[in-house]
Amino acid sequence: MPGELTAKGKATRSRIVAGAAAVLRERGVASTTLDDIMARTGTSKSQLFHYFPSGKDELLVAVARFEAEQVLEDQQPYLGRLDSWEAWEQWRDVVIKRYEAQGDQCPLGSLFLQVGRSTPGARAIVIELLRRWQESLAAGIRALQAGGMLPAELDVDVRAASLLAAIQGGVSILLSTGRSTHLRAALDQGIADLRRAGSAVA
């Protein structure tokens, strides 16, 4: 994308990305054309290529970044304030609701299948998403420690990594089967394990 965008340019680019995301969710990556996106967003071809000079693949990477951001945004405000057991349960419910609504269709996964994880920037999007997600979980565990609900010696990073891996496993099975049973079990077990660790606090 040439040069630094003005505030208006950034707003236009964001509008195109959000509109493209909506079309891709409705029609699927394989069935969506640039004409579909231009019609939805009210942009011309020259305008589209101004913001995405490399064409559809560049736009798809931008939409993947948007969808990755949405994964975390959909968990708010709970993911950002996991400082009580009640907050953890509320977060659990929000995560399950989000992925049950999504069902066996994953916009982010479909985008990566189309552009390939080796496409410049694509792998970085996944890495950044998982890093931020794990850091948020770790911050929540530390908040419980600070509140005296978990022992200070608990390995926060290992617990957060384990919980995130369990969630991703449950989501993967949901995408394969359309059933959220394993995701529910992963979240319930992960939170229960934390509670058991907390029961040792005097």
Side-chain angles (χ1 to χ4, degrees), residues 117-188:
R117 291 183 185 273
S118 60
T119 299
R123 183 177 294 274
I125 292 170
V126 177
I127 292 171
E128 177 66 6
L129 167 62
L130 296 178
R131 182 191 66 78
R132 291 174 58 195
W133 199 345
Q134 183 172 324
E135 284 184 354
S136 294
L137 294 173
I141 296 171
R142 291 191 181 95
L144 294 178
Q145 286 178 319
M149 288 173 277
L150 285 176
E153 65 272 15
L154 191 76
D155 193 324
V156 173
D157 292 329
V158 167
R159 290 282 183 157
S162 176
L163 187 55
L164 180 56
I167 295 168
Q168 289 300 297
V171 170
S172 293
I173 295 173
L174 187 154
L175 292 174
S176 298
T177 65
R179 299 178 61 190
S180 63
T181 307
H182 295 82
L183 176 60
R184 287 175 174 271
L187 284 164
D188 288 343

Side-chain angles (χ1 to χ4, degrees), residues 1-5:
M1 190 168 55
E4 183 68 22
L5 291 177

